[in-house]
Amino acid sequence: MRKIALWTTSTLAALGVLFGYSTSTGHTKDSLLAASVTATSTTSPSETSSGTRSSSGGGSSSSSSSPSSSSASSGTSGTYTGDAVMTQFGNVQVQITVKDGKVVTADAIQVPDQNGRDQAINAVAVPQLNAAAVQAQSANIDMISGASYTSQGYISSLQSALDQAHL
Amino acid sequence: MADTGTIPVRRPRDHSSPDPADHGSVMPEIVTRARVEHIMGMPISIHVRGRAADVERALPATEAVFDHLRLVDRVFSTYRDDSDLMRLRAGQAEHGTHPWLREVVELCLDAEHRTDGLFTAWLPSAGVEHRREFDPTGLVKGWGVQGAAEHLSGLSGVAYAINAAGDVVMGLGRDASGVARPWRIGIEDPRDPTRVATVVERVTGGVATSGARARGAHVIDPRTGHGIAREGSATIDGPSLLWADVWATAAFVDPARVARLLPARDPEYRLTRCD
């Protein structure tokens, strides 16, 4: 259980950095591209600053924060790949697809899968996490109110994704 | 869990792109930073919004919020035998109890009266039949978080929001009109916690939701003494988190009745139901 929690947190950190910038209101291709690049540079300190972060093990490694496609319509569109964040369980890397300035899909394109248990966890956790993050971002939500959740439930919650976006 | 860091990454949506003619002028960037700690078994998130320098200055005060909630836990926890509440219940309060206990007893009486008994802090004892025990947990959370938020109200130039396991309090510091915009509070879909059913917007005040999903049947119907097994949730928003929380609990017990009572008793509060 501990393992799920830590791993999920690190993925959220990666998602959060990307989504944080994707909510900037400069809806031009250049400004989102710039934001995306800035996200790359802020990932490093956020992952290594505190030492208490589960994902602080090795900081971030390789990155390719560039859009692979874009189209000029009412807002930015394209696919963006975030930093690969090294966690104690393996690398986590997230890719988001933006259409008209909103995140429409988020995929963990690199996740720890060293053993069967990792894969079983990922099969459940990644789709749930992606759905949560995309939904919260597309509605521009600041906070989540819901029936009381415990600290354990928080890890995979929408609120957790939002908190990460502000960290 | 310790402080998880404070790197600003998000600009608010109302921070419009500068006019091209204005390009290069100094426009103070509005940032939001978040801190999360787990107290009383709950995640507590504090978000502070403002100009970077104001937010920076505000951050030390967030520690006072967490300290306040740790004290609330020491006084009211039902999980520690040495809390003031548990000593009182055990008849071991000869050395006195924290003055908060008296304040909370009075608020619980007020809450029961205000909701026509749909909220009560005198719950059936788990051990002894036909006996009730004083358990103010359902009121202490909203009251405690609202009190803790006061530590931020004197700060200059910032807006803040605190989310304690799904109950949210929002406020403005001094001279903060420049950063005031509604916080958008997503109301969790009771059937699918990864989705938002609707959105409530407020600049200040509180939003509380009561439902059965997260902890099973944790809301007791005072009229029967049994847990409520029903699906769905009730959300109340209004000027104070304390009363939003009390009304949300009452509304989950009897939504139709609260829908009638609320406009008469507390017209500044609004009920949102999710089924």
Side-chain angles (χ1 to χ4, degrees), chain A residues 20-21 23 25 46 52-53 128 132 135 139-149 151 154 158-159 163 165-167, chain B residues 3-5 7 9-10 13 15 32 34 38 41 45 47 141 163 165-166 181 183-184 186 188 194-196 209 214:
Chain A
Y21 271 96
T23 55
T25 49
S46 80
T52 55
R53 275 287 271 279
Q128 192 173 25
Q135 225 250 336
N140 258 329
I141 304 292
D142 293 305
M143 290 279 188
I144 300 293
S145 176
S148 297
Y149 42 78
S151 289
Y154 165 81
L158 285 171
Q159 184 62 44
D163 291 340
H166 288 304
L167 290 177
Chain B
D3 180 7
T4 45
I7 305 296
V9 295
R10 175 166 155 165
R13 340 171 246 297
H15 182 262
T32 302
H38 293 252
S45 317
H47 290 209
K141 188 173 140 194
N163 190 349
R181 68 157 172 83
W183 296 89
R184 286 174 56 80
E188 185 182 277
T194 69
R195 302 196 70 82
V196 169
T209 299

Side-chain angles (χ1 to χ4, degrees), chain B residues 83-99:
Chain B
S83 74
D84 294 51
L85 173 65
M86 295 308 276
R87 286 193 293 114
L88 180 73
R89 274 207 210 165
Q92 297 164 350
E94 61 271 15
H95 299 301
T97 53
H98 197 284

Side-chain angles (χ1 to χ4, degrees), chain A residues 11-22 133 161-162 164-166, chain B residues 9-10:
Chain A
T11 309
L12 284 167
L15 281 170
V17 169
L18 286 168
F19 292 164
Y21 271 96
S22 65
L162 295 169
Q164 292 293 340
H166 288 304
Chain B
V9 295
R10 175 166 155 165

